[in-house]
């Protein structure tokens, strides 16, 4: 029998995170700093609003673009929180997570061979989604020694006449790095100078700890050339509800809608109703979770630096990206040994691009007790390998 799979799909590597977690399955007493998902459950009043809607019989499809009430709530929220104004009828689409928003964004704008600049280390889905949409990911490393530095000259040197878009994600998975206004302005200048689209994944925008998050599309002249991607999974602890959204100029939303209506029809109605409750009454929950994440961040950053594993202080999300370059192991060797010897699960930096070699990603969406226990076990590990 012949191989029925498409040639393109054979070129796409499976997610390095999944490969690593296949090793964890079935192991007992593992302390996991591996999963990029809030350890909080969705606030109860949000769940209740969805339960009540089911009781009322709201179990149907919605408009392809998503419930108008939710689009209005998102438009109000974006204006209130980030000072950027979107028309709920023309410039917003509700998707099945931010994941679908990214997928249909690339499919809606890329012609075969169009290049998309992606800053590495990056979330695992970006490059494969660009490739699946017929585009070419152009990866640019932000790593300089143990630090992350945005080298705008290097980025500009990679822009060709095929470059269609720059993809940015801040606060970032896996590094937690966010961008301040001066850096965002430099991206905006590049986009204007080279007439580029900017796709901006700001799903961790609410989880910025040391300064206020600035929405890329709120910068002067940028709304017209930005696809803003966000969703409810992270800040509202709603990963399983699968609700995300994209905000963009009307013609781009219309193009994305064509794919969404055929591939997905609409996002799940119960999730959309829960999302309305999240925006209307979830602010205090986000504040409380954010306070707790910040406390954990401070503990884990201090913990790694005390172990002499250099760890930059991330400005947002719930990840740290400490360097293990001083150890005689690759990222993957380190993670496998740590898992087998100490039962601590962290993710090799290489799961986020080859430039992540020498780093590990640890999610602090875990209890303080677990974070402290993981740090204690890592200390034992370093001692055993004469590396303290
Ligand atoms: C940066 C980033 N974007 C998007 C996603 C996917 O979000 P969603 O659950 O809304 O599909 C994730 C999930 O880990 C992420 O880290």
């Amino acid at each position: 029998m012949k191989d029925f799979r498409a040639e393109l799909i054979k070129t796409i590597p499976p997610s390095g995170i999944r490969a690593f977690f296949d090793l964890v399955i079935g192991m007992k007493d593992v302390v996991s700093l591996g999963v990029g998902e809030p350890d909080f459950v969705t606030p109860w009043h949000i769940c209740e609003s969805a339960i009540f809607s089911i009781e009322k019989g709201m179990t149907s499809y919605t408009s392809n673009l998503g419930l108008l009430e939710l689009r209005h709530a998102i438009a109000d929220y974006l204006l209130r929180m980030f000072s950027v104004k979107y028309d709920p009828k023309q410039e917003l689409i509700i998707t099945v997570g931010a994941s679908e928003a990214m997928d249909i964004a690339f499919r809606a704008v890329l012609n075969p061979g169009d290049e998309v600049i992606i800053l590495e280390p990056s979330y695992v889905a970006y490059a494969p989604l660009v490739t699946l949409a017929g585009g070419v990911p152009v990866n640019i490393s932000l790593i300089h020694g143990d630090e992350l530095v945005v080298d705008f000259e290097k980025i500009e040197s990679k822009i060709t006449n095929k470059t269609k878009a720059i993809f940015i994600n801040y606060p970032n998975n896996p590094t937690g790095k966010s961008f301040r206004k001066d850096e965002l302005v430099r991206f905006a200048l590049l986009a204007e100078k080279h007439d580029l689209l900017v796709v901006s994944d700001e799903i961790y925008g609410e989880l910025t700890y040391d300064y206020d998050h600035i929405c890329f599309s709120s910068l002067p002249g940028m709304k017209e050339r930005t696809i803003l991607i966000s969703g409810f999974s992270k800040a509202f602890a709603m990963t399983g509800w699968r609700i995300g959204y994209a905000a963009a100029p009307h013609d781009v939303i219309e193009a994305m809608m064509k794919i969404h209506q055929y591939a997905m029809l609409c996002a799940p109605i119960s999730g959309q109703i829960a999302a309305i409750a999240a925006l209307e009454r979830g602010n205090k929950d986000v504040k409380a979770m954010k306070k707790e994440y910040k406390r954990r961040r401070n503990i884990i950053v201090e913990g790694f630096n005390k172990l002499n594993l250099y760890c930059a202080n991330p400005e947002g999300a719930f990840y740290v990206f400490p360097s293990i370059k001083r150890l005689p192991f690759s990222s993957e060797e380190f993670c496998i040994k740590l898992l087998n010897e100490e039962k601590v699960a962290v993710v090799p930096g290489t799961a986020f691009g080859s430039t992540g070699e020498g780093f590990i990603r640890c999610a602090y969406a875990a209890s303080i007790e677990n974070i402290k226990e993981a740090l204690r076990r890592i200390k034992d590990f370093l001692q055993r390998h004469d590396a303290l």
Side-chain angles (χ1 to χ4, degrees):
M1 210 159 62
K2 63 183 175 211
D3 181 350
F4 292 112
R5 295 171 305 159
E7 292 308 319
L8 185 61
I9 204 73
K10 292 186 208 163
T11 68
I12 306 277
S15 157
I17 302 185
R18 196 179 134 193
F20 191 72
F21 275 91
D22 285 346
L23 298 175
V24 180
I25 291 169
M27 278 179 91
K28 283 208 174 106
D29 303 322
V30 174
V31 178
S32 179
L33 302 182
V35 187
E37 168 161 12
D39 58 321
F40 300 105
V41 293
T42 305
W44 181 242
H45 66 92
I46 297 177
C47 301
E48 257 183 337
S49 69
I51 293 167
F52 187 45
S53 73
I54 294 169
E55 284 173 352
K56 283 191 294 187
M58 296 176 73
T59 54
S60 60
Y61 294 134
T62 69
S63 137
N64 293 137
L65 286 173
L67 291 171
L68 186 57
E69 196 188 344
L70 175 56
R71 283 181 277 141
H72 269 290
I74 291 171
D76 290 350
Y77 180 76
L78 290 174
L79 187 59
R80 192 170 74 239
M81 295 282 291
F82 305 118
S83 312
V84 56
K85 195 166 183 208
Y86 282 100
D87 179 342
K89 290 193 175 147
Q90 306 272 324
E91 297 174 322
L92 276 170
I93 184 168
I94 311 300
T95 54
V96 180
S99 304
E100 192 221 346
M102 287 184 287
D103 179 27
I104 61 176
F106 291 134
R107 289 204 270 160
V109 301
L110 296 180
N111 291 312
D114 280 349
E115 293 174 0
V116 178
I117 288 179
I118 297 173
L119 307 177
E120 269 197 3
S122 72
Y123 175 56
V124 290
Y126 305 147
L129 289 180
V130 168
T131 307
L132 287 169
V136 179
V138 176
N139 298 314
I140 300 178
S141 172
L142 297 189
I143 306 261
H144 284 248
D146 282 344
E147 298 282 355
L148 293 160
V149 179
V150 192
D151 181 342
F152 286 95
E153 278 164 21
K154 188 165 150 196
I155 296 173
E156 189 161 21
S157 75
K158 298 279 184 177
I159 296 175
T160 70
N161 57 6
K162 290 191 176 157
T163 310
K164 183 78 160 269
I166 301 188
F167 193 98
I168 54 177
N169 162 226
Y170 66 102
N172 176 266
N173 178 5
T175 62
K177 180 174 171 54
S178 196
F179 296 130
R180 287 182 184 267
K181 183 146 188 197
D182 57 327
E183 289 172 310
L184 293 173
V185 166
R186 303 236 5 222
F187 282 116
L189 289 172
L190 270 186
E192 213 146 52
K193 182 171 168 193
H194 297 278
D195 197 9
L196 301 176
L197 177 74
V198 176
V199 186
S200 187
D201 177 355
E202 300 179 30
I203 194 164
Y204 295 100
E206 290 88 348
L207 302 178
T208 303
Y209 305 116
D210 302 319
Y211 49 85
D212 288 339
H213 179 80
I214 299 170
C215 216
F216 191 76
S217 55
S218 71
L219 298 182
M222 285 303 109
K223 195 184 147 193
E224 294 73 20
R225 54 174 74 250
T226 301
I227 304 180
L228 163 65
I229 288 175
S230 194
F232 294 82
S233 289
K234 311 295 176 170
F236 295 95
M238 289 176 65
T239 47
W241 298 84
R242 309 306 304 129
I243 303 294
Y245 59 90
H250 177 61
D251 56 343
V252 174
I253 290 292
E254 269 303 300
M256 290 170 70
M257 225 286 279
K258 282 191 201 165
I259 308 164
H260 174 76
Q261 72 187 357
Y262 295 128
M264 214 57 72
L265 222 156
C266 66
I269 185 168
S270 312
Q272 293 192 53
I273 288 164
I276 295 170
L279 294 179
E280 286 179 351
R281 293 183 300 282
N283 205 18
K284 62 176 185 329
D285 306 294
V286 175
K287 268 195 180 152
M289 289 188 268
K290 181 171 161 172
K291 197 170 159 203
E292 180 60 18
Y293 288 136
K294 185 172 178 179
R295 211 157 75 92
R296 298 170 180 185
R297 177 198 66 169
N298 295 344
I299 289 172
I300 199 166
V301 168
E302 193 188 330
F304 274 112
N305 283 315
K306 270 194 181 151
L307 295 175
N308 205 12
L309 296 177
Y310 174 75
C311 181
N313 193 32
E315 295 110 334
F318 35 60
Y319 307 105
V320 286
F321 204 61
S323 167
I324 54 141
K325 285 184 179 169
R326 72 174 183 82
L327 303 178
F329 309 124
S330 70
S331 296
E332 201 171 320
E333 280 164 0
F334 177 90
C335 293
I336 291 173
K337 277 183 190 298
L338 185 66
L339 182 64
N340 288 334
E341 294 176 27
E342 294 293 340
K343 297 208 166 58
V344 175
V346 298
V347 181
T350 43
F352 308 94
S354 57
T355 55
E357 183 53 86
F359 295 85
I360 53 171
R361 187 197 76 171
C362 306
Y364 52 89
S367 67
I368 290 197
E369 195 190 349
N370 277 356
I371 290 170
K372 287 187 174 163
E373 177 60 17
L375 287 167
R376 201 188 55 72
R377 293 186 190 190
I378 293 171
K379 185 177 179 186
D380 288 349
F381 177 85
L382 294 177
Q383 252 156 1
R384 183 165 338 100
H385 291 275
D386 291 325
L388 252 195

